[in-house]
Structure formats: structure tokens, C-alpha cells
Amino acid sequence: MSTTPDTVDLEQRLRAALTARADLVRPEDLAPLAPAAPLRPRWSPWVLLATAAAVLLVLGVVLQGLGRDPRSDDVAPRPDEPPVVLPDDVGRDWEADDVSTPARLDLDGDGTDEVVDFLGEPTEDFDGRTRLETTLSSTGEEAYGIAELGTTIGTTALPPVDADGDGDQELVLRYDDPAAGPAGGGHPVVFDLRDGLLVEAVAEEPELLLSGDIPVPGTKTEHYEMVHQQDFWVEDGELWSSRSVNAYARGNMTIVRPLVTVRDAWTWRLTEDGRLEHVDAGCLRHDVMDDARTPCEDGAADDLPDVADVAEESIGLGESATFDDGYAFTARLEAVADPSLVVEGADGRTIDHALDVADPRVFTTQPVGVFADGASVVIASSSDPGYVQVLRQDGGRLRALDPVGEVDLTDDGSHRTWLTPDGTLVTAVAAEDDSWRLWFWQTVSRSEMAALPGAVVCFDDPTDPSTMRRC
């Protein structure tokens, strides 16, 4: 075995040190400490050889570390980081379904797009894995990967991204959680070409990539829970995601939030070790009507809810009105002995419902939150400003819905209730600091209605909803 000058010099220095140490040992030092237990010599040849080998090994490791770049196996594993899993070569005999669309993108960065086919694992419920398969234009070699997308039907790629900025493109697919329902819960799945494999990039904070209404832990009540609205998209070759700054009440297939919301935003980049990490991209205002996203200005906030207008038109005793939206019917207030509401549907059904309030009035706008396949109306009283009642058709009769939950259905000093022209029934509840919490009424069963919380606002005049403003 060859030796280097450094090794020879080290051996000479080690031998000199050991010789000097031996010269310090005197005869009296070798006398036994106890007659019954004689000691072994302090330095044996085996000890000398083992010590020299250990010093050389340590020195070699140090010199090796200084003389080259660190390798991945030099670094201690960090268990808090998600592992990157290489795909198995399975599914060569799977087939693509008729509604899946192959993706086209430049995976290897040579300027020519590859065509990626999606082959679905055959399962009874079409919920198996998806094989990603392509031929690289630069080498003619096959590249493949395995994806879990929730379904094997209709696989379609999002626009590609260059998340690591190296000139080639990464494949972006969408996972949809079939158990999430209308609230959503999908997320993007990004695949990077690494050594001939399409490897899934692991997100460092995957919850920031979810889309839909994401529940806030610990906020679920009997009738609603608070959720953040989240989304992801691809724009100009970058993967973006966002989350609403505020949380909103969701219940009974309804979410209480304004049309324009303020959201925190992030872009996502791919690190050298195959992880997706988020980069703060500031604040965006999201307009749900046209799905537009614009940068926030200083002090940006959610839009106020569009409930400042009041539906004031109503009918009294001896009057009638026609309702044309949804289920068409006419309603009239009669007074033979006690007041009653008579509803005649376009389908020929007639209902006569006795009222237990003096001087009743029926608003000519239907409450959309309790709208059903039949008539629904809001009843007030000219002589009792605090009286509010909602009637909803249940088969061949009208049923008065029982208000349940956290808010009373009334109109008094601490509660202001009104119906908007688009049929939203709102109650504002006063707080101690002169602010008011808006609550929005929804049907929660055949016989009950409950209010879901909305924004906190202020009024210049609490009796006039048109004076509503930010606090």
C-alpha cells in the first residue's frame, strides 16, 4: 500500500510522542498497587497499534471533509423533513381512459415538448393509481412516474411550471379528494424529471396548497363551522396558492362571505432535494364574481357585505301580492275573525294559514335562505316592531320556522333585523364597543332556522342599515 509524505510524517511524530511517554515511566511507577492484583503494562503493542489507527482514521476523515464538497450521506438526516419517494416501475399494462388528455411539456429542457400519457390502474371504483409515461426527446429513453390523484378518470394536466428555474418544466396535476364534497380539498401534485424518473415533489407545508373551504380547528358548532377559503393556480410558469385572511361561517351548504376577500399569497419553488417550499408573495384581493386577483393596497380589507338596502314593500289586511321567483304563487291577507294568510300556488294548491299577530304585514320579497319547493314569506307587524316570523310551505300547509342557535329573531334595541331586496334575512347584534355583528338566517331543518355569523360592522344610525360602514 502506498504512503504519502503526510502519512509518513504523522507516523514519525506519533512514534516520537510514544517514546517520550515511555521515558517518563520510572521503576517505582511499575510497582504493584496491591499485592493480590498485579497490573498490566499501561502501553501494550496492541494498544499502540489501535491508537495509531484511530488517529489516522480521524485525521483522514477531517482531511477528506476539508478536501471536497459535502455529500448527502455526510449530513445527519432531519426527520421533520418529508421524504422524497422514488416511483415503482408498475402499470406498464394499464390503459388510458377515453376522457384523459395527454400532457405536453418540455421535461428535459431541450426545447422540444414531451407527450406524457396517463394510464389508469384498473379498480372497481376508478380510484387507483395513475402511471405517467413518456419518451424523452433528448435521449429517446422512457421516463415514468406514479401518481395518486383520487381518480383515474379524466386526468388532465395544469399548465407546466419551472419551479426550480433550471430551464426545463415540471408536470402539474390535480388531486381531488372525493370525500371533501362541495367544500373542495384538492391540491396540486408536481412531478420533476430526476435521473429518468418522474418524481413527486413533496411540499414542506402541504396545508397551504389545499383548495376549497378549509375548516378552522375547534370552531365547529351545531349549525356551522368557520373556514378559510383557499386556492391554487398556475400563472406565468409559477405555482401560486392563497388563503383568506379572515375565516367565514359555513353551514347547510352555504358560506357567509363577501364577494371580494383579502388573501395571503405564496409562490412555490422546487429545492435541489426535491421539496416544494413556499415564498411569501404578499397580499391579493380576490373577486369571486370574475375570479380576478389583484395586488392589495395599503390597509386592504374584505368588502362589506351587500346588505345595506332594505326590502320595505309589504301588504296588509285585504291586500294581495304575486311572487314570481322560483315557485310562483299569490298571497293575500284576509280578516274574517282572526287574520289569516291565504296562499294559492301556480300548481293549484291553496293553503289557508291562521296568524297569531295583530296588524300583520307580509313582505313581497321571499327569503332566499329558507326558499324551498313551495311558498316562503316573512311576516312583520305594524303594531309590534319587534315581531318577525318566517313561514315556509311544508306539503299542504305553512309552517312557522323556529329560530334556534345563538341569535334571537327579533328587532329591538340590541337586535336589528331586516330583509334585503335579494331576499337575505339579516340580524345585526350589538356589541359593547358600539360595533355590530351581522348574522344571516338559513334553514337548518324542516322546522328550524339558525343564523350564521358574518362581518363586524358599525352604523352611523343603527336603525338605518344604509349607514353601515367599517369600524
Side-chain angles (χ1 to χ4, degrees):
M1 181 176 62
S2 62
T3 59
T4 65
D6 289 341
T7 303
V8 173
D9 181 64
L10 177 63
E11 291 175 347
Q12 292 174 348
R13 285 188 286 136
L14 180 62
R15 190 174 293 109
L18 295 177
T19 301
R21 176 66 180 175
D23 291 341
L24 295 176
V25 180
R26 299 178 180 274
E28 60 265 30
D29 296 327
L30 300 177
L33 296 176
L39 297 179
R40 295 178 181 178
R42 186 181 298 271
W43 293 97
S44 71
W46 295 112
V47 172
L48 293 178
L49 290 175
T51 304
V55 171
L56 290 174
L57 177 61
V58 172
L59 181 61
V61 170
V62 172
L63 293 175
Q64 183 186 38
L66 294 176
R68 63 166 176 81
D69 293 333
R71 299 185 316 203
S72 60
D73 55 358
D74 296 332
V75 181
R78 288 178 284 183
D80 57 330
E81 291 187 355
V84 176
V85 180
L86 299 181
D88 295 327
D89 187 6
V90 297
R92 289 179 175 272
D93 58 343
W94 299 347
E95 297 181 355
D97 70 272
D98 295 338
V99 293
S100 291
T101 303
R104 295 179 179 271
L105 71 161
D106 186 6
L107 289 168
D108 53 13
D110 67 347
T112 301
D113 285 352
E114 278 72 35
V115 178
V116 182
D117 293 311
F118 305 123
L119 311 181
E121 181 180 14
T123 61
E124 182 178 355
D125 297 324
F126 305 100
D127 57 355
R129 297 166 293 175
T130 298
R131 178 183 174 90
L132 321 175
E133 193 172 82
T134 189
T135 300
L136 301 178
S137 59
S138 58
T139 64
E141 297 178 347
E142 179 188 289
Y144 65 88
I146 298 296
E148 295 274 2
L149 304 176
T151 179
T152 57
I153 298 177
T155 304
T156 302
L158 278 69
V161 300
D162 184 6
D164 51 8
D166 62 356
D168 58 29
Q169 294 178 318
E170 285 80 53
L171 175 68
V172 184
L173 302 177
R174 180 186 179 96
Y175 173 86
D176 283 308
D177 185 356
H187 61 81
V189 188
V190 178
F191 289 88
D192 182 32
L193 179 64
R194 305 179 67 183
D195 298 327
L197 298 176
L198 292 171
V199 181
E200 180 180 345
V202 181
E204 61 175 4
E205 294 191 47
E207 67 276 5
L208 297 183
L209 280 171
L210 295 176
S211 68
D213 299 337
I214 310 304
V216 177
T219 64
K220 189 174 181 59
T221 70
E222 181 180 1
H223 302 298
Y224 67 87
E225 66 180 334
M226 304 302 293
V227 300
H228 284 288
Q229 287 205 306
Q230 298 187 192
D231 195 12
F232 69 85
W233 68 97
V234 173
E235 182 178 338
D236 297 331
E238 283 190 304
L239 178 62
W240 287 70
S241 68
S242 70
R243 178 174 63 188
S244 62
V245 173
N246 293 322
Y248 311 106
R250 180 181 178 86
N252 195 33
M253 306 292 289
T254 299
I255 184 168
V256 178
R257 56 114 177 89
L259 296 179
V260 178
T261 59
V262 173
R263 301 189 176 196
D264 294 319
W266 303 274
T267 58
W268 293 81
R269 65 187 176 194
L270 188 63
T271 64
E272 291 184 358
D273 56 357
R275 291 181 299 111
L276 281 175
E277 62 179 15
H278 65 284
V279 180
D280 186 7
C283 168
L284 295 176
R285 282 173 54 85
H286 181 238
D287 188 336
V288 69
M289 294 301 293
D290 55 8
D291 196 25
R293 303 175 182 90
T294 55
C296 295
E297 299 177 353
D298 291 342
D302 288 357
D303 277 7
L304 291 175
D306 187 17
V307 293
D309 294 334
V310 179
E312 297 180 342
E313 185 176 349
S314 62
I315 60 173
L317 291 174
E319 298 177 325
S320 64
T322 300
F323 298 79
D324 296 323
D325 293 335
Y327 176 79
F329 65 96
T330 60
R332 65 179 184 270
L333 281 173
E334 296 181 347
V336 178
D338 295 322
S340 67
L341 173 65
V342 179
V343 171
E344 295 181 359
D347 55 5
R349 290 185 294 181
T350 299
I351 302 172
D352 192 332
H353 180 81
L355 300 176
D356 58 358
V357 60
D359 304 317
R361 299 202 66 82
V362 177
F363 286 96
T364 58
T365 299
Q366 286 196 81
V368 295
V370 297
F371 184 81
D373 186 17
S376 59
V377 293
V378 175
I379 308 293
S381 171
S382 300
S383 58
D384 183 0
Y387 182 88
V388 183
Q389 186 181 63
V390 176
L391 300 179
R392 177 184 179 185
Q393 185 171 344
D394 183 7
R397 64 170 179 161
L398 289 176
R399 179 194 295 272
L401 293 180
D402 183 22
V404 296
E406 303 168 52
V407 177
D408 296 328
L409 181 62
T410 185
D411 192 351
D412 55 25
S414 62
H415 292 66
R416 298 297 184 187
T417 299
W418 69 95
L419 186 65
T420 69
D422 65 357
T424 303
L425 186 60
V426 186
T427 294
V429 180
E432 295 180 357
D433 60 356
D434 294 330
S435 66
W436 297 71
R437 168 76 74 177
L438 300 180
W439 295 76
F440 298 81
W441 291 94
Q442 300 289 325
T443 301
V444 294
S445 72
R446 292 173 63 91
S447 61
E448 295 176 326
M449 58 188 297
L452 278 57
V456 174
V457 300
C458 287
F459 295 96
D460 292 331
D461 179 1
T463 66
D464 183 1
S466 67
T467 66
M468 182 175 65
R469 57 175 172 81
R470 288 189 176 89
C471 296

